[in-house]
Every structure is written in structure tokens, then in C-alpha cells.
Amino acid sequence: EDPFLFHNATMGACDQLAEHGDSEMMGMLEGVRDAGHPSLNAFGSAIFSEASHAWLDDHGHDLLPGALDALRALTEVADVVFCTNFASEAVARTWTRHGVAFSPPGTPGPLRLRGGARKQNLTHDPRRDESFAGRNIPVDRGFYRSILLEEHPDVVIGDVFSLDLALPIVMKRETPGFQRLRTVLMRTPFSCPWSLGLADPPSPTIELVDHPSRLVDIAREAARQEVPPC
């Protein structure tokens, strides 16, 4: 689904092995704690962030074809919150280069940026998996959950099912006020057949789109249903 998922899952597994007494993993955990990281997963997130910043500094970051037009059209019919694991500064530089006006978290505006979402971080509050297409996917993503509760979106759009959509689907089923939430998967070159299969045939749980322009149609549909889309 995403190159980071294997990295994240490996570090999470190392934490679990350490918890169960694996001597090698316990030694690694002790080493990263000495360096100021509370867990192997946190250490993995830190070095991934460092590598991501280095890549952006060397290569830059750009938008998918059609994304800029779709983003501008979206803000004409909806309030949009761009919630990403990337640092806000990295996305802000790209948007500024393309002349996109946006607001930081906590500031009203048709387009707001929330970087550093930490959707990948499992918070064990409590530890929980949900089964999708025969796969157990962790949904104890407390940092992401707090953002969803604060923003209370009507539509959640993501390109990585496990990170972006698994938790919102659970919240749609269980959390008061989220029953009308729409979850949308954007197809990318990294999309796995099993995640695409969750929307095929057309599913009441998840919708599939192939191009950013389709997101504008979804926002307009939500507006016609008198649900203020986010």
C-alpha cells in the first residue's frame, strides 16, 4: 500500500518481540531508549522522518496531474482539511510554489493543513485489530482518532487503506455522529488488489476513485444531501 508500511510494521513487531522477552529486541529497545526514543516504533518513525526530509531537500515534492485543479475546485464547494503524515512545512512549500492559499490548524478557511498526523503510530489504547479482506489491520491509532474527533469530517479520502480509512470505517460503525461518514479510496500505483476489492462491487462502506477530479463530484453530492463536506 505504501513503502512506509513495511518499515512501520517491522518496527512494531520488534517492539512486540521485546515485550515478550526476546533478548536481541530487548537490547535494541534499550539502545534506542538511551538515545531518547520511547520505543522501536518511535525510533523508526524518527528516522523515516529524517530520511523524508532529506529526500524532499534533494528532490522536491510535487502534485499529481490534475490535483491542483481538483484542490481549487474542492475549496469552492467544501471546507477541506489536508491531514498528512508529512511535516506541514514540506506540504506548505509545495502549495506555496503553486500559489495555493491555505490556513494552519485552528484557523478558519476553506483549505487547512494538518501535517505530522502520525496516522502510522499505534497507541495501544487498547490494542485492537479489525479484519478487512482477511487481513488484521491495527486501528488503535490514537493520534489520528483525536484528529478525526476534532474535525468531525463528513468525507474521508485516502490513498492508503490501512493508514487512512480503516479507522474511519470503524468509527463510522461505532462512534456517535459518524454514521453518515463517507470513506473514499484513491487508486494509485501502490494500491493493493485486496484494498481495491473492498470497493468492488460497489460497496456501502468504501468508494473508489481513479482521479482527483472525481473528489469534486463527491463533495457536490454531499452538499446536495445537506451534509457540509470536509
Side-chain angles (χ1 to χ4, degrees):
E1 291 184 275
D2 183 282
F4 180 51
L5 282 184
F6 178 78
H7 172 100
N8 183 228
T10 300
M11 301 308 288
C14 289
D15 272 329
Q16 292 183 33
L17 287 170
E19 290 173 7
H20 288 83
D22 183 279
S23 58
E24 185 175 358
M25 294 302 107
M26 290 175 68
M28 289 178 60
L29 179 58
E30 181 180 354
V32 300
R33 282 177 172 167
D34 288 343
H37 304 282
S39 67
L40 290 165
N41 203 1
F43 170 68
S45 294
I47 60 175
F48 178 81
S49 177
E50 181 181 341
S52 297
H53 278 88
W55 169 267
L56 290 170
D57 288 341
D58 290 342
H59 301 278
H61 185 274
D62 216 335
L63 303 174
L64 291 171
L68 186 60
D69 290 339
L71 184 60
R72 287 172 171 157
L74 265 176
T75 58
E76 294 178 1
V77 298
D79 290 332
V80 178
V81 179
F82 192 81
C83 179
T84 175
N85 288 338
F86 268 110
S88 295
E89 305 79 41
V91 180
R93 285 197 300 269
T94 300
W95 284 359
T96 300
R97 190 170 70 250
H98 288 280
V100 176
F102 60 93
S103 303
T107 304
L111 176 61
R112 288 188 290 119
L113 174 59
R114 295 196 65 154
R118 294 187 286 178
K119 301 177 193 178
Q120 79 278 10
N121 288 142
L122 305 181
T123 47
H124 305 274
D125 50 358
R127 179 76 174 88
R128 179 178 176 184
D129 291 346
E130 283 289 318
S131 179
F132 294 96
R135 289 165 171 78
N136 291 328
I137 297 176
V139 292
D140 52 310
R141 304 179 188 275
F143 298 112
Y144 185 29
R145 179 181 176 85
S146 66
I147 292 173
L148 292 168
L149 289 171
E150 180 182 341
E151 298 291 351
H152 207 288
D154 297 296
V155 181
V156 175
I157 302 156
D159 57 3
V160 179
F161 180 87
S162 299
L163 293 183
D164 299 325
L165 300 177
L167 175 59
I169 288 172
V170 171
M171 294 178 69
K172 176 178 181 176
R173 186 172 67 236
E174 300 178 356
T175 305
F178 278 73
Q179 284 72 29
R180 299 184 69 177
L181 178 68
R182 294 174 68 173
T183 49
V184 180
L185 177 65
M186 171 75 74
R187 189 197 305 264
T188 74
F190 296 109
S191 298
C192 297
W194 67 265
S195 63
L196 298 175
L198 293 169
D200 183 26
S203 162
T205 302
I206 184 172
E207 303 169 58
L208 180 65
V209 298
D210 293 295
H211 192 272
S213 60
R214 172 67 180 123
L215 304 179
V216 182
D217 297 331
I218 290 173
R220 288 179 177 143
E221 290 166 9
R224 285 196 295 269
Q225 296 169 358
E226 298 183 350
V227 179
C230 296

